[in-house]
Amino acid sequence: MAEVFKNYINGKWVDAKSGKTFENRNPANWDDIIGIFPKSGPEDVEEAVKAARKAYQSWRLVPPPKRADIIKKAADLLVQRKEEIAREMTREMGKILLETRGDVQEGIDTGYYAAGEGRRLFSYTTTSELPNKFAMAIRLPVGVAGVITPWNFPMAIPTWKIFPALVAGNTVVFKPASDTPKTATTLVQILEEAGVPEGVVNLVHGGGNEVGMAIVRHPDVDLISFTGSTAVGKVISREAADTLKRVSLEMGGKNAQIVLEDANLELALDGVLWGAFGTAGQRCTATSRLILHEVIYDQFIEMLVERVKKLKVGNGLDESTEMGPIINEAQLNKIHQYVEIGKQEGAKLLIGGYRLTGGEYDKGWFYAPTIFVDVHPKMRIAQEEIFGPVLCVIKVKSFEEAIEVLNDTVYGLSSSIYTRDVNKAFKAIRDIQAGITYINAPTIGAETHLPFGGVKQTGNGHREGGWTVFDFFTEIKTVYVDYSDKLQRAQIDTYKE
Ligand SMILES: NC(=O)C1=CN([C@@H]2O[C@H](COP(=O)(O)OP(=O)(O)OC[C@H]3O[C@@H](n4cnc5c(N)ncnc54)[C@H](OP(=O)(O)O)[C@@H]3O)[C@@H](O)[C@H]2O)C=CC1
Ligand SMILES: O=C(O)CCC(=O)C(=O)O
């Protein structure tokens, strides 16, 4: 019998009001049912927002170090349960154990980092232009935060949002991706066990159009933190405009790795393998384009194909597997459509380009690691996010052309350049249009204490991670304290003759 899960609203585990449910299955083995989850609707969101609004009145008054103690405890619980959660996550969304352990670790790191901010949450004091007057800017919570997350980092991304939101004093209505409701449930169970009071965190399972949209449109939700596709991010941005709520959007990418003629080729090879085929390419920071200098082009392609041929694709629970399945059938079909588009556009398919079949592959969504060469930078496969194990290789004649090609996309999340020339490395840091640039390292592998986010159509100017995330989750209040016991007029009295 499949396990049945519930929503978490106002401190209680409850079914969807409609009683409807949906099923979630292991993408590496469809026979394995992960669980049955509530298929909620706007009426459930209504309850969750009401609970979050009520809880906000007391949560905002809890001293930040006390709020942080609860997040620290949640991180401790994640440490204790790391292996179990990683295994469940691999079952739920497919990526290999090495990566799901990393995903939980990112949640742990975020927890300890955010908890530390409970004793800082720095803003500043400054001077006043008038005598006997004190001036400062302080941070206050914003209110009820709607948190909408994707499936590819089912622990890390929710914690990037929920932990700092709570330390800052906001309450949360959390809608996780429909493909990863179990990991989301585990996170909320942990927050409950850590001592989060009722109503402070609410979990509502269900579809994006029903639950996600109801959160975005709700007038009592003050801010939305969203990670997902650019298409959905644009819809959210438009819908949120009606209530003028604050919105943080972390969206798609078309990240590139440049390899120059002077690069350490072995290192660059390890980088692109990990960047392009890690998590089966289903990372917003995945290396989707490889830009090679013509001098090393043939040699590097030969080295790359040799290694890609040997990649072991299979169930991520097997420790020897190097690449797991695709998340679902729709995503697999999308990837294959892009492969067909690439062929029609005239790119040369060097390896892969098909769904894997036979044996265990017949019960999962497995796709062969795929490489296209002779890719023109304007082709659709070089411009649009594929979100799968497909690498497009582009040949360039110079450093300048490499940067131009890298920037020639509507996205701007991550980027990487392999070179031993320090001047070129610094020029790349200056000229690449992306939120993240790696020198001699792959496009993936964010650290939680640094800002994370993209430019152009990848983001809307906010950053997660580091202390920058607190700029999003706090409201700045400017405070003047006049202790002169008389009316002092700024601007007028300041410059009185
Ligand atoms: N820049 C970044 O930091 C990152 C970006 N991503 C991006 O995420 C995408 C892959 O994730 P994926 O989950 O498929 O992305 P989606 O945009 O399809 O979904 C993301 C979340 O939004 C929900 N959603 C869908 N439609 C709506 C709607 N109309 N209103 C409100 N919420 C909605 C989804 O719910 P449901 O699951 O029920 O459909 C899910 O919870 C890729 O484009 C990737 O680049 C991923 C990780 C990091
Ligand atoms: O580890 C990283 O590079 C970022 C994680 C992430 O959110 C992603 O790539 O989808």
Side-chain angles (χ1 to χ4, degrees):
M1 270 288 282
E3 204 177 338
V4 178
F5 293 87
K6 293 178 189 274
N7 289 332
Y8 185 68
I9 297 177
N10 204 21
K12 294 187 181 54
W13 293 94
V14 294
D15 294 319
K17 277 179 181 284
S18 66
K20 289 185 187 160
T21 58
F22 68 96
E23 191 183 80
N24 189 25
R25 288 178 185 250
N26 181 343
N29 175 10
W30 312 323
D31 289 344
D32 179 20
I33 302 176
I34 306 298
I36 310 289
F37 296 85
K39 194 170 179 192
S40 318
E43 60 285 4
D44 303 291
V45 170
E46 191 59 43
E47 290 298 309
V49 174
K50 211 190 292 169
R53 176 58 57 197
K54 182 160 165 266
Y56 176 64
Q57 294 316 328
S58 44
W59 183 245
R60 75 187 178 90
L61 300 177
V62 175
K66 292 276 175 218
R67 297 194 293 247
D69 283 348
I70 295 176
I71 301 307
K72 150 92 174 47
K73 175 116 188 271
D76 291 342
L77 291 168
L78 282 172
V79 171
Q80 284 166 27
R81 293 180 58 186
K82 180 173 169 180
E83 186 60 21
E84 167 216 329
I85 297 170
R87 285 183 175 275
E88 280 301 300
M89 193 192 295
T90 296
R91 238 187 101 207
E92 183 170 46
M93 56 72 70
K95 66 184 174 185
I96 62 172
L97 274 174
L98 189 76
E99 292 167 334
T100 52
R101 287 181 189 127
D103 194 319
V104 183
Q105 187 58 45
E106 217 167 312
I108 294 166
D109 296 339
T110 302
Y112 291 139
Y113 183 80
E117 281 302 318
R119 289 192 180 268
R120 287 186 292 265
L121 276 184
F122 290 141
S123 193
Y124 58 93
T125 62
T126 185
T127 57
S128 167
E129 60 192 41
L130 289 164
N132 297 320
K133 196 174 169 195
F134 183 84
M136 61 184 162
I138 61 167
R139 285 184 191 274
L140 295 171
V142 184
V144 175
V147 167
I148 303 174
T149 55
W151 46 265
N152 66 338
F153 276 80
M155 181 60 76
I157 292 179
T159 63
W160 285 2
K161 300 171 187 300
I162 295 174
F163 288 173
L166 294 180
V167 169
N170 305 282
T171 55
V172 167
V173 177
F174 172 29
K175 185 230 132 11
S178 298
D179 281 308
T180 48
K182 171 103 196 281
T183 308
T185 304
T186 303
L187 173 61
V188 173
Q189 284 166 346
I190 281 175
L191 284 165
E192 181 188 31
E193 193 182 335
V196 169
E198 65 179 32
V200 169
V201 171
N202 303 274
L203 170 69
V204 188
H205 292 291
N209 282 328
E210 300 76 27
V211 176
M213 213 14 86
I215 295 173
V216 171
R217 289 187 178 141
H218 204 293
D220 244 0
V221 173
D222 301 288
L223 74 173
I224 297 289
S225 180
F226 167 82
T227 299
S229 60
T230 296
V232 172
K234 285 180 182 175
V235 172
I236 288 180
S237 186
R238 278 194 283 272
E239 292 291 333
D242 272 345
T243 44
L244 283 179
K245 49 176 67 83
R246 188 183 295 192
V247 180
S248 167
L249 303 171
E250 290 294 345
M251 301 170 288
K254 191 69 190 173
N255 317 292
Q257 173 179 315
I258 296 174
V259 185
L260 293 184
E261 69 277 28
D262 66 340
N264 175 338
L265 296 191
E266 287 295 341
L267 188 67
L269 181 62
D270 285 339
V272 72
L273 285 167
W274 183 231
F277 302 112
T279 318
Q282 303 169 106
R283 289 169 89 131
C284 56
T285 51
T287 309
S288 182
R289 297 175 297 155
L290 175 65
I291 302 172
L292 294 180
H293 194 282
E294 61 180 2
V295 170
I296 47 93
Y297 187 87
D298 290 338
Q299 184 190 354
F300 198 80
I301 297 287
E302 200 180 313
M303 291 162 69
L304 179 63
V305 171
E306 255 332 281
R307 287 283 291 277
V308 172
K309 266 191 214 153
K310 293 187 190 132
L311 279 179
K312 189 175 170 215
V313 183
N315 191 323
L317 287 170
D318 176 345
E319 297 271 5
S320 67
T321 298
E322 292 171 295
M323 193 181 101
I326 304 304
I327 187 70
N328 56 36
E329 185 177 15
Q331 187 57 28
L332 184 130
N333 289 339
K334 182 180 158 199
I335 292 165
H336 192 64
Q337 270 165 22
Y338 270 109
V339 167
E340 291 301 321
I341 289 168
K343 286 196 247 173
Q344 281 157 23
E345 287 179 310
K348 186 170 159 204
L349 183 61
L350 215 54
I351 187 167
Y354 52 87
R355 180 173 170 191
L356 292 165
T357 51
E360 68 163 345
Y361 294 147
D362 285 343
K363 285 197 173 171
W365 308 117
F366 293 97
Y367 204 83
T370 299
I371 301 176
F372 275 111
V373 291
D374 294 345
V375 176
H376 187 276
K378 292 289 184 202
M379 286 178 181
R380 282 184 64 192
I381 55 166
Q383 291 285 330
E384 298 172 21
E385 186 182 49
I386 300 174
F387 222 59
V390 180
L391 181 67
C392 300
V393 188
I394 302 171
K395 192 195 283 186
V396 291
K397 289 187 167 53
S398 65
F399 166 74
E400 288 74 19
E401 188 187 351
I403 300 289
E404 200 180 309
V405 167
L406 185 145
N407 286 338
D408 184 15
T409 156
V410 294
Y411 296 110
L413 183 55
S414 189
S415 55
S416 151
I417 181 164
Y418 283 76
T419 178
R420 289 176 169 121
D421 182 333
V422 71
N423 292 356
K424 285 185 178 146
F426 271 93
K427 280 183 189 156
I429 293 167
R430 184 194 62 195
D431 294 341
I432 286 177
Q433 297 160 1
I436 305 163
T437 295
Y438 289 93
I439 307 296
N440 294 322
T443 56
I444 64 177
E447 300 186 32
T448 60
H449 58 294
L450 279 110
F452 181 91
V455 302
K456 302 203 272 190
Q457 292 195 22
T458 292
N460 65 338
H462 297 286
R463 289 291 182 273
E464 315 214 86
W467 53 260
T468 40
V469 72
F470 288 93
D471 285 337
F472 179 71
F473 283 115
T474 56
E475 197 71 79
I476 298 288
K477 175 172 279 188
T478 307
V479 182
Y480 299 102
V481 181
D482 190 321
Y483 51 98
S484 66
D485 271 338
K486 63 179 184 198
L487 174 66
Q488 297 199 92
R489 295 162 302 178
Q491 303 138 26
I492 296 166
D493 294 330
T494 315
Y495 298 108
K496 208 161 53 187
E497 293 302 319

